[in-house]
Amino acid sequence: MSATQSTFPRWIPLLGGLLGSTTCGLLLYAFSVFIKPLMEQFGWTVAQVSMAYALICLFFGLIGYVAGRLNDRFGPRAVVLVGGLIMAFGFFMVSTITPPDKAALLAGDPTAKAVSNTALYLFYIYYGVIAGIGGGLVYVPPIATAPKWWPDRRGLATGFSVVGLGLGSFVMAPLATRMIAAYGGTALPVFKYVGIAMALMVVVTALCLKLPPFGYRPAGWTPPAPQMHEGGYRDYRDYTHSETIRTPQFWLLWAAYFCGSFAGLMAIGLIAKHGIDAMSTVYRAQQGLDAAAALPADVSKQIAMLAAWAPSTLAIFNAAVRVMIGPLADRIGSKVIFIVLFTLQCLAMLALFPAGKSYVLLAACAGLIGWNYGAMFTLFPSTLLYYYGPTNQGSNYGVLFTAWGVAGFFGPFLGGKLQVMTGSFLVPFIVAACIVGIATLILVMLKAPEKKLA
C-alpha cells in the first residue's frame, strides 16, 4: 500500500457524518412541537420558550469555532465523543425538571410561580447551554473530515455530513408529537428517552470518524493539474486560517449565512405553533365559537398532529436537498444555485402566513422553505472549500458557522417577540423575507478570492 492510500473504507466517515448530524437534528429541528405543551405545563409564554431555542442555537453555533480548532488539533473522534455525551446529558436532564402545580399556577399562587421560574432557568441551562455546547462539538468535525476522504466529490461528501439534520427532525417531529400525546400532554419523557438514544448514537458516530493519511488520494483519482499562468505552470496552496479570516469574501459569506439562517430558524421555531393557531382560528370560525373559546380535546389533538406535518415536511426536503445539491455544486459551482434558492426563499417566507390555515398548504410551504434552507449547509461549506482549500477547513468553517449561531439566537427570539407584540405571525415572516433578500444581494455581488501561489 502506498503512502497516499488507506485500508480504511472512505464511506465510513460519511456514515459518521450522517449519524452525527442526525443526532443534532433530534436536538434542534423539531423544537416547535414542544412550544405548546411546555407553555401549558409550565405556564411559560411563547417568547420564554423561544428563548431556549435561541440559546441553543447561539451556543451550538459559537462553539463551532472551538470544535473546529479542537478537530484540527486532536482529530474528530475525541471531539465528537466528548461533545456528544455532553449533548445527550443536557437533553436528558430536561426530563428531570419539576413542573409547577397547574391549578395553583393558574390561580396566581406565588410558590407555583417561583417553581415555574426556576424550571425555566433550568430549561435554559440544560437545553440551551449544555446541550447546545455539546451539539456544536458534534456537528463541525464530520463536515471537516468527510471531504478529505472524498477530494473527488467534496460537495457530495459535505452533503452526506449534514443530511442527518433533516433526517433527525423528520423522525423527531412526529415521534415527539405522539409521545407527548401518549404521556398526557407533557413533553418531559421525550427528553428522557431521546437523550438516552442520543448518547448511543454519538458513540457510534465517533467510532466512524478518522482522518485520512497525509497526501491521501482515493484509488483511481488524479488531482487537477497545475494551471497555466504567465511565466509557466503554477501550483496553488491553501489559505492559512489567518489569511482566510482577513479576506472580505469570508465575511460576506458570514453575513449571507447569518441572513439565510436567521430566516430559516425563525420559521422552524414558529411554524408548528403558527399552524396550530391558524387552524384553530379556522375551526372556531366554522363552528361559530368565540375567539378565546377552548377547543375540544380531540380537536386540539388532531390540529396538533396536522400542524406537525409542517416541520416533518420541512425536514424531508431539508434532508433530501443536502445530498442532491452536492453533486450539482461540484459540477456548476454554488453561486447560481445560491441566488435561485434564496430568491425562492423570500417568496416562501411571504407565503407562509396565509398558508397556515391549511395543513396541506402549510406543509407545501414548509417543504419549499426546508429545501432552500437545507441547501445552505452543503453550499456554504463547499464554497468555503473552493475558496480557501481543505487544509484548515475545520477552523475556517468553525468561524463561518458562528453566523448560524448568532442568527439562531436572534431569529427565533425576535420572531417570538414580534409575535407577542403584534399578536400575529405575519410580521415575523415578513421580516424573515426581508432578511433573506439582503443575503441574495450579497451573494449576487460575491466573487472568489485570488488563489494563493505555492
Side-chain angles (χ1 to χ4, degrees):
M1 182 184 68
S2 69
T4 57
Q5 298 295 304
S6 174
T7 58
F8 190 74
R10 64 176 183 155
W11 60 266
I12 292 181
L14 294 185
L15 176 61
L18 175 64
L19 285 173
S21 58
T22 298
T23 310
C24 293
L26 297 176
L27 177 71
L28 292 171
Y29 285 145
F31 184 80
S32 61
V33 303
F34 295 128
I35 293 178
K36 189 173 184 291
L38 289 173
M39 288 172 60
E40 292 180 350
Q41 187 169 12
F42 289 91
W44 300 333
T45 65
V46 172
Q48 287 176 321
V49 181
S50 296
M51 173 58 80
Y53 191 65
L55 284 171
I56 196 172
C57 291
L58 178 66
F59 281 93
F60 190 100
L62 293 184
I63 204 67
Y65 171 68
V66 178
R69 300 293 283 180
L70 291 174
N71 176 78
D72 290 344
R73 183 173 180 180
F74 299 107
R77 184 170 292 173
V79 178
V80 168
L81 180 60
V82 173
L85 294 177
I86 292 172
M87 173 178 64
F89 171 77
F91 199 83
F92 175 88
M93 287 301 293
V94 175
S95 68
T96 67
I97 298 175
T98 302
D101 180 84
K102 190 171 182 180
L105 186 65
L106 292 173
D109 180 72
T111 301
K113 183 64 175 176
V115 172
S116 176
N117 290 337
T118 300
L120 182 62
Y121 292 128
L122 289 175
F123 185 47
Y124 290 163
I125 292 170
Y126 292 149
Y127 181 77
V129 179
I130 297 176
I133 289 173
L137 291 172
V138 171
Y139 180 67
V140 171
I143 298 173
T145 302
K148 294 178 181 179
W149 286 98
W150 294 79
D152 50 336
R153 296 184 180 180
R154 287 174 175 165
L156 178 65
T158 302
F160 264 98
S161 298
V162 297
V163 67
L165 283 171
L167 292 176
S169 56
F170 172 67
V171 172
M172 187 65 161
L175 173 65
T177 301
R178 291 185 181 279
M179 289 181 69
I180 290 167
Y183 283 96
T186 175
L188 297 183
V190 180
F191 291 95
K192 177 181 178 180
Y193 295 112
V194 175
I196 295 171
M198 284 179 173
L200 299 175
M201 292 171 69
V202 295
V203 171
V204 178
T205 297
L207 293 175
C208 291
L209 297 177
K210 179 182 177 181
L211 290 173
F214 180 78
Y216 168 78
R217 298 180 187 178
W221 179 73
T222 302
Q227 296 187 22
M228 182 69 175
H229 289 268
E230 184 178 348
Y233 287 97
R234 302 285 183 88
D235 276 326
Y236 292 121
R237 66 171 176 84
D238 293 345
Y239 274 70
T240 66
H241 177 63
S242 60
E243 288 171 341
T244 297
I245 62 176
R246 288 200 297 267
T247 62
Q249 288 89 342
F250 179 84
W251 295 106
L252 287 172
L253 280 174
W254 192 98
Y257 206 164
F258 169 84
C259 292
S261 301
F262 181 98
L265 289 166
M266 179 188 286
I268 289 168
L270 299 176
I271 194 167
K273 182 65 167 59
H274 167 52
I276 291 171
D277 286 359
M279 285 185 275
S280 296
T281 299
V282 170
Y283 178 84
R284 290 188 181 97
Q286 291 173 341
Q287 301 299 318
L289 300 175
D290 184 82
L295 300 183
D298 60 330
V299 173
S300 182
K301 179 180 177 180
Q302 182 182 18
I303 288 176
M305 292 298 298
L306 292 175
W309 278 104
S312 295
T313 305
L314 189 151
I316 294 171
F317 285 86
N318 186 357
V321 71
R322 293 170 189 247
V323 176
M324 295 173 65
I325 209 73
L328 190 60
D330 287 334
R331 177 174 297 182
I332 68 174
S334 59
K335 183 170 182 176
V336 173
I337 304 173
F338 260 135
I339 294 170
V340 171
L341 293 183
F342 273 56
T343 301
L344 289 173
Q345 192 75 320
C346 287
L347 299 176
M349 291 295 171
L350 292 174
L352 186 54
F353 180 76
K357 297 177 181 180
S358 163
Y359 80 94
V360 174
L361 293 178
L362 185 65
C365 193
L368 181 58
I369 290 172
W371 181 270
N372 300 327
Y373 174 76
M376 296 194 313
F377 296 92
T378 299
L379 294 174
F380 276 110
S382 296
T383 302
L384 196 68
L385 272 170
Y386 173 71
Y387 280 8
Y388 303 108
T391 302
N392 298 290
Q393 176 73 351
S395 299
N396 293 343
Y397 188 64
V399 177
L400 185 66
F401 192 64
T402 62
W404 183 90
V406 176
F409 179 81
F410 288 104
F413 177 69
L414 181 60
K417 279 288 187 183
L418 290 173
Q419 193 276 334
V420 171
M421 290 169 58
T422 63
S424 169
F425 288 93
L426 176 62
V427 174
F429 296 148
I430 290 177
V431 170
C434 293
I435 295 294
V436 177
I438 294 172
T440 307
L441 293 176
I442 291 172
L443 293 166
V444 168
M445 298 184 295
L446 189 64
K447 294 181 179 180
E450 293 184 1
K451 296 291 184 181
K452 293 286 186 180
L453 294 175

